[in-house]
Amino acid sequence: MSLMRRLLDTKDAAGFLNVSEMTIRRWTNSGKLNCYRVGGKRERRFYISDLEELLHDSQNHRLKPLGLGAQRVPDGSHMTHFYAGKEEALDVSVPYLLEGIKRDEALLAVMPPDRSRRFLETMEQQGYPVGSWLKSGRLSLRAGMDSPGKMIRYLLAVAARVHEFRVVGDMIWTVRKGWDLGALTALEQAPNRMPPIENGLLLCQYSLDDFSGATIMMAAELHRQTIY
């Protein structure tokens, strides 16, 4: 006598792993999570054993502190933060990068010049030796590249030459560069299509005042974690 293993649908799988159904679909599309197609509509179904294996791997993945309370995320995380107002953006980006300084990571901030100045002023006002960090290369500032391909190649070069790193990008820089939604989507899709990043974190910040609803929805879909 054999036992039939129960198959879960996408909603049940999302509840089991405590993620969104959109995340489940993205993981199956990328091959991270096994699924089985059933019926004429080829709907996704999942064995609990596959979900448990993914959960076990995630729990044993190296976690890194964000610098935001007790929040920790898996190494290689590609995250987004939606903010209302420049001060809220700084309330996340500054402690996030300061945690990287504490952990002896290389830091990269991708922002338009006016945002970079405010960012540096905030840390200087808090008593941090920003000038020496810039001079030594522990902290780098960039205004972004002219195309998704150039930006992706630049980020890969950064990851290749340092042991540990974290990146924050105020994505308004893409607007200043004249990018459209298609170009921005291509950039944000890249981490999900490449081998997992090791020894690094990527945080993309989106202003709720400056980006369209379509752009915010794209960012919510393509990032593994969202900071509120």
Side-chain angles (χ1 to χ4, degrees):
M1 182 175 67
S2 62
L3 293 175
M4 181 178 293
R5 292 189 294 167
R6 180 189 171 202
L7 284 170
L8 304 184
D9 62 18
T10 300
K11 182 178 180 181
D12 291 335
F16 186 91
L17 294 175
N18 194 30
V19 297
S20 69
E21 292 181 45
M22 189 177 295
T23 296
I24 293 292
R25 288 191 288 271
R26 185 168 67 243
W27 285 349
T28 60
N29 291 340
S30 68
K32 180 177 180 179
L33 175 61
N34 290 332
C35 79
Y36 302 85
R37 300 284 186 167
V38 300
K41 294 184 178 180
R42 305 284 294 161
E43 295 178 344
R44 294 172 173 87
R45 293 294 185 267
F46 305 86
Y47 283 124
I48 289 179
S49 58
D50 289 328
L51 301 178
E52 289 176 335
E53 182 178 352
L54 178 63
L55 186 62
H56 176 77
D57 290 344
S58 297
Q59 289 172 340
N60 285 281
H61 200 296
R62 189 163 70 99
L63 298 177
K64 302 184 75 170
L66 284 178
L68 306 170
Q71 296 294 322
R72 302 170 71 86
V73 295
D75 182 27
S77 289
H78 179 215
M79 305 164 286
T80 190
H81 170 229
F82 302 122
Y83 67 86
K86 297 175 184 178
E87 293 304 315
E88 185 179 335
L90 291 170
D91 287 344
V92 169
S93 61
V94 170
Y96 166 77
L97 288 186
L98 289 176
E99 179 67 27
I101 288 288
K102 184 167 67 176
R103 295 174 58 81
D104 199 28
E105 298 170 350
L107 311 180
L108 171 63
V110 185
M111 304 175 178
D114 59 314
R115 301 289 174 97
S116 293
R117 285 193 295 271
R118 183 74 183 96
F119 173 75
L120 295 177
E121 289 170 358
T122 298
M123 288 199 291
E124 288 173 342
Q125 290 167 4
Q126 295 178 11
Y128 294 102
V130 176
S132 65
W133 293 344
L134 290 169
K135 186 175 181 180
S136 67
R138 293 194 65 189
L139 171 63
S140 299
L141 299 176
R142 293 292 183 272
M145 303 300 178
D146 294 330
S147 70
K150 289 181 180 179
M151 193 68 208
I152 292 166
R153 288 191 292 273
Y154 173 73
L155 291 174
L156 289 174
V158 169
R161 70 171 180 262
V162 298
H163 177 61
E164 300 261 356
F165 70 96
R166 65 179 61 196
V167 178
V168 62
D170 188 327
M171 304 309 288
I172 196 67
W173 71 262
T174 63
V175 175
R176 306 284 178 84
K177 290 285 184 179
W179 287 27
D180 60 15
L181 178 56
L184 182 52
T185 301
L187 178 66
E188 294 290 26
Q189 285 176 331
N192 300 331
R193 293 177 172 177
M194 296 186 297
I197 299 169
E198 294 184 356
N199 302 321
L201 296 176
L202 301 173
L203 174 60
C204 303
Q205 294 186 295
Y206 284 85
S207 168
L208 295 173
D209 298 322
D210 296 308
F211 285 99
S212 68
T215 301
I216 297 299
M217 288 296 293
M218 175 278 296
E221 179 180 354
L222 294 181
H223 291 83
R224 295 189 177 94
Q225 291 90 9
T226 300
I227 299 171
Y228 294 98

